[in-house]
């Protein structure tokens, strides 16, 4: 496949880390929230093995924040998500589907409660800020909504704990999963969360003071030599093996949280008010007509740049493949697919055409085990 360069402009924003990762060997970008998001540093498979064994530093500044503050901020944030935030605590992160009145997914952010009247919505790739502003205007809410200057970088991998301990001391290793706290580095306090878009463990640093953040970025590479630290980015192989969903790839506004297996983050029995609540109750009663499932395909290679049809033995379309990659662990192509009812059953077989050849595959549960 021929590779094309991507044209830079103000619309496709650089991050404070761009000049660094370009010196460090980034080889591919994607775009995320109108910003550059690194997609590869050479071989995906080499990065995957390295991430599972060591530690990497990722420029994920594309995970932009939508800050909502003011008297009605909690009401607005709750209105946008089907997850009950009434018992949420300051200093915690919450993975929350954001849905519209038809229960269609708008985004699947991590929401941080900074104060009783101040929230950060750490968004996936869609313009949540416009949705939030529209709702606030329509509801006449007393809120301030804006995109603050926050540029996240992540430290991911099993050795991230030892590396971060060298800089911040033991306290940082005691933080619980999805907790956050403030840690001092070169004269600035940084919000650091135990989170990240991999299942290999690690942290995300929400950098507000760019100068100090860049010093910390450099320090991690200096101190990290003994842990074989490398630059990296969300890894397609690792994230599919770990079944971390990607908004815009695996699901979008035409899918609801039940169809995407996000049932855990839907609370219909509490008193809280959110968009799409009645619709979700109705869907719960009548049932879903499609479901996101895992698939395993007897192939060695795949490149998904649009939905690919899954066909049964009668040549009927039974679903569509939305993300896939060759997995060195399973030694097959694995993927995430939306299967139509009644085909969303484990062991359901299908055929798929990849580069004009036909391959056999099977449906399986998510996460893959
Ligand atoms: N970190 C931050 N912001 C983000 C992402 C992130 N915004 C965009 C995108 N990633 C949002 N999507 C996800 C998807 C999954 C998770 C986090 C963000 C995740 N899920 C855990 C899991 O599936 O095991 C646990 C969630 C829970 O149960 O609370 O971590 O990565 N800042």
């Amino acid at each position: 496949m021929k590779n094309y360069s991507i044209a830079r402009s103000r619309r496709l924003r650089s991050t404070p880390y761009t000049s660094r990762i370009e010196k460090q060997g980034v080889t591919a970008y994607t775009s995320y929230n109108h910003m550059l998001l690194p997609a590869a540093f050479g071989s995906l498979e080499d990065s995957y093995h390295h991430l599972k064994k060591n530690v990497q530093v990722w420029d994920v500044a594309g995970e932009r924040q939508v800050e909502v503050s003011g008297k009605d901020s909690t009401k607005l944030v709750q209105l946008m998500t089907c997850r009950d935030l009434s018992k949420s605590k300051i200093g915690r992160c919450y993975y929350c589907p954001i849905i519209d009145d038809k229960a269609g997914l708008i985004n699947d952010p991590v929401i941080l409660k900074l104060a009783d009247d101040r929230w950060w919505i750490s968004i996936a790739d869609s313009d949540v800020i416009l949705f939030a502003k529209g709702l606030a205007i329509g509801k006449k809410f007393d809120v301030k909504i804006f995109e603050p200057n926050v540029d996240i970088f992540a430290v991911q991998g099993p050795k991230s704990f030892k590396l971060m301990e060298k800089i911040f001391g033991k306290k940082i290793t005691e933080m619980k999963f999805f907790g956050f706290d403030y840690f001092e580095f070169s004269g600035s306090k940084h919000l650091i969360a135990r989170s990240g878009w991999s299942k290999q463990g690690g942290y995300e640093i929400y950098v507000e003071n760019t100068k100090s953040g860049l010093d910390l970025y450099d320090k991690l590479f200096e101190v990290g030599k003994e842990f074989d630290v490398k630059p990296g980015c969300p890894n397609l192989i690792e994230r599919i093996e770990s079944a971390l969903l990607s908004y815009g790839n695996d699901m979008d506004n035409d899918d609801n949280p039940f169809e995407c297996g996000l049932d855990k983050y839907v609370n219909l029995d509490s008193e809280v008010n959110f968009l799409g609540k009645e619709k979700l109750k109705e869907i719960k009663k009548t049932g879903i007509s499609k479901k996101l499932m895992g698939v395993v395909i007897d192939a060695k290679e795949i490149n998904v740049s649009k939905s690919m049809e899954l066909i049964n033995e009668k040549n009927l379309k039974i679903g569509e493949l939305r993300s896939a990659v060759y997995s060195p662990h399973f030694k097959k192509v694995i993927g995430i697919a939306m299967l139509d009812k009644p085909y969303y059953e484990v062991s359901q077989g299908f055929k798929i055409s990849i580069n004009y050849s036909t391959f056999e595959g099977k449906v399986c549960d998510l996460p893959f085990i």
Side-chain angles (χ1 to χ4, degrees):
M1 204 175 51
K2 191 175 181 309
N3 263 315
Y4 296 87
S5 68
I6 189 164
R8 307 287 173 88
S9 71
R10 203 171 87 94
R11 276 191 302 105
L12 180 49
R13 302 173 285 179
S14 295
T15 87
Y17 318 112
T18 303
S19 62
R20 279 174 171 67
I21 67 173
E22 293 186 347
K23 279 197 203 107
Q24 291 174 314
V26 64
T27 52
Y29 282 116
T30 183
S31 92
Y32 204 76
N33 289 314
H34 318 283
M35 203 170 224
L36 293 171
L37 178 68
F41 284 80
S43 149
L44 265 194
E45 212 165 305
D46 291 350
S47 292
Y48 158 86
H49 290 299
H50 179 266
L51 170 63
K52 299 224 310 185
K53 228 176 49 210
N54 302 295
V55 50
Q56 298 183 351
V57 176
W58 297 358
D59 171 1
V60 285
E63 295 168 356
R64 304 308 294 168
Q65 308 308 300
V66 176
E67 177 162 335
V68 182
S69 62
K71 191 164 78 56
D72 294 326
S73 57
T74 299
K75 243 198 276 181
L76 176 60
V77 171
Q78 182 63 78
L79 186 65
M80 291 196 288
T81 180
C82 53
R83 181 164 181 179
D84 181 358
L85 291 173
S86 62
K87 294 188 183 68
S88 57
K89 294 187 180 71
I90 296 165
R92 298 282 312 162
C93 306
Y94 299 89
Y95 180 50
C96 296
I98 291 186
I99 57 171
D100 62 22
D101 56 329
K102 307 280 189 297
L105 280 162
I106 295 282
N107 203 284
D108 69 328
V110 174
I111 298 183
L112 290 79
K113 185 170 186 168
L114 302 170
D116 282 324
D117 59 354
R118 187 164 170 249
W119 303 78
W120 275 351
I121 308 177
S122 186
I123 60 174
D125 188 24
S126 76
D127 295 313
V128 170
I129 194 165
L130 305 181
F131 188 63
K133 285 188 184 209
L135 286 171
I137 295 164
K139 292 271 183 190
K140 299 190 167 55
F141 280 160
D142 180 1
V143 285
K144 190 171 152 199
I145 301 167
F146 66 104
E147 185 184 300
N149 291 320
V150 174
D151 298 288
I152 303 182
F153 72 80
V155 182
Q156 298 285 296
K159 294 186 184 161
S160 59
F161 304 100
K162 282 259 177 307
L163 172 53
M164 291 290 272
E165 184 179 358
K166 285 233 156 184
I167 298 174
F168 295 104
K170 198 163 172 46
K171 191 180 153 216
I172 202 151
T173 64
E174 289 160 0
M175 199 159 36
K176 291 206 176 76
F177 182 64
F178 265 44
F180 70 79
D181 209 339
Y182 298 86
F183 295 84
E184 162 118 23
F185 183 79
S186 75
S188 283
K189 286 236 175 226
H190 296 276
L191 189 162
I192 303 183
R194 226 195 100 191
S195 57
W197 213 55
S198 87
K199 290 257 189 186
Q200 306 312 314
Y203 300 89
E204 291 183 299
I205 297 103
Y206 289 69
V207 172
E208 293 180 87
N209 181 321
T210 307
K211 191 180 174 310
S212 170
L214 287 170
D215 287 347
L216 175 56
Y217 183 97
D218 294 338
K219 181 84 176 176
L220 283 159
F221 282 95
E222 204 184 293
V223 176
K225 279 188 193 124
E226 64 170 295
F227 305 114
D228 192 24
V229 67
K230 284 197 159 73
C233 54
N235 184 283
L236 186 65
I237 308 171
E238 196 278 339
R239 84 96 180 157
I240 293 182
E241 282 185 0
S242 300
L244 287 167
L245 299 183
S246 169
Y247 186 82
N249 287 318
D250 306 324
M251 73 280 200
D252 60 32
N253 194 227
D254 291 326
D255 309 313
N256 68 52
F258 292 135
E259 292 167 341
C260 300
L262 297 172
D263 310 44
K264 235 177 37 175
Y265 311 104
V266 178
N267 300 119
L268 294 177
D269 300 327
S270 82
E271 292 305 303
V272 297
N273 182 33
F274 58 83
L275 282 176
K277 192 174 187 180
E278 289 315 307
K279 186 70 192 172
L280 281 174
K281 283 184 181 168
E282 190 187 309
I283 297 166
K284 199 172 177 188
K285 220 184 274 165
T286 56
I288 51 174
S289 56
K290 60 187 191 331
K291 189 163 196 254
L292 220 48
M293 299 290 290
V295 294
V296 180
I297 303 168
D298 284 317
K300 292 282 176 205
E301 189 175 21
I302 194 164
N303 200 310
V304 180
S305 59
K306 58 182 178 199
S307 306
M308 297 166 79
E309 291 194 350
L310 307 181
I311 306 292
N312 72 0
E313 68 286 352
K314 292 179 189 145
N315 279 327
L316 279 172
K317 183 188 170 197
I318 63 164
E320 60 181 40
L321 184 64
R322 294 183 168 184
S323 297
V325 73
Y326 176 75
S327 157
H329 178 75
F330 293 100
K331 300 195 166 38
K332 284 182 180 178
V333 165
I334 60 169
I336 298 171
M338 188 59 91
L339 271 295
D340 297 331
K341 194 177 174 180
Y343 307 106
Y344 56 69
E345 297 294 335
V346 171
S347 297
Q348 167 72 45
F350 62 81
K351 291 181 288 178
I352 182 170
S353 163
I354 306 172
N355 290 333
Y356 308 103
S357 299
T358 302
F359 294 86
E360 304 273 332
K362 263 198 168 70
V363 174
C364 65
D365 273 323
L366 286 175
F368 303 90
I369 12 162

